[in-house]
Amino acid sequence: MTAEAEQVFTDYLKQKDLKLTSQRRTILRRAMEAEGHFGAEELLDLCRREDSSISKATVYRTLALLKEARLLEEQDFGRGRMVYERSLGHGHHDHFICIRCGKILEFENNKIERLQDEEADKIDFQIVYHSLKLFGFCRDCAPQASR
Ligand SMILES: [Zn+2]
Ligand SMILES: [Zn+2]
């Protein structure tokens, strides 16, 4: 996974006349290894454990490059910050977001996917991508949860 990502990133950087510096490599590796959804600050912490000279600006700039190279997906889950997740080797899915604790749960439902296509067909809309987000309370945060 990481080797493949490194190849994709190197090729992308080459197009932009940029090199895979050791800092960019560290950020790439940490981002590819991170579990699930993470913010830029969390990634910065992870990277600094390996190389304390990595700056916040470098992490933000590299995140933008990783996004452009389609290695990462950027999501706004309405928590006042962007969240990233690996897209290489991670198929399409949608999200439930808990508005109390911020937990993010993934789901995939072919029926929903199909319904979206049907709706688009009706009005000749060509879907390029979509991101379905359902906001509410997770099992632990639901008011009057029956336990
Ligand atoms: Zn919750
Ligand atoms: Zn996700």
Side-chain angles (χ1 to χ4, degrees):
M1 179 66 61
T2 319
E4 194 187 340
E6 222 174 280
Q7 192 54 54
V8 171
F9 200 35
T10 305
D11 291 347
Y12 179 75
L13 290 171
K14 212 176 276 171
Q15 289 171 32
K16 308 204 82 179
D17 263 322
L18 296 169
K19 287 217 156 62
L20 186 65
T21 59
S22 89
Q23 292 201 341
R24 285 190 185 126
R25 180 182 284 121
T26 298
I27 297 165
L28 166 75
R29 288 216 170 128
R30 294 294 165 166
M32 290 298 122
E33 284 162 13
E35 271 308 312
H37 313 82
F38 55 91
E41 298 287 334
E42 290 159 67
L43 183 62
L44 177 64
D45 283 347
L46 289 171
C47 292
R48 278 195 174 153
R49 271 181 227 165
E50 191 175 320
D51 177 351
S52 58
S53 70
I54 292 179
S55 72
K56 194 170 167 169
T58 302
V59 166
Y60 275 89
R61 275 198 301 265
T62 306
L63 273 172
L65 291 167
L66 289 168
K67 196 179 75 177
E68 287 164 26
R70 294 173 181 274
L71 288 165
L72 287 184
E73 220 172 277
E74 185 182 57
Q75 299 267 14
D76 181 358
F77 288 134
R79 307 280 298 178
R81 57 164 204 168
M82 293 313 238
V83 168
Y84 300 85
E85 65 180 325
R86 182 164 55 80
S87 43
L88 185 72
H90 190 191
H92 172 72
H93 58 274
D94 292 300
H95 298 96
F96 286 109
I97 300 106
C98 177
I99 54 177
R100 185 165 288 166
C101 73
K103 197 180 291 156
I104 297 162
L105 301 159
E106 302 186 338
F107 73 93
E108 212 195 326
N109 183 316
N110 291 329
K111 219 186 270 178
I112 294 174
E113 300 290 318
R114 235 182 359 253
L115 285 172
Q116 291 174 149
D117 290 338
E118 278 173 33
E119 283 307 308
D121 281 348
K122 284 184 198 164
I123 57 162
D124 286 326
F125 187 87
Q126 222 178 321
I127 298 173
V128 176
Y129 67 94
H130 77 267
S131 169
L132 183 60
K133 295 164 196 167
L134 304 168
F135 297 88
F137 298 113
C138 73
R139 192 179 283 149
D140 298 330
C141 297
Q144 294 139 22
S146 48
R147 279 159 214 258

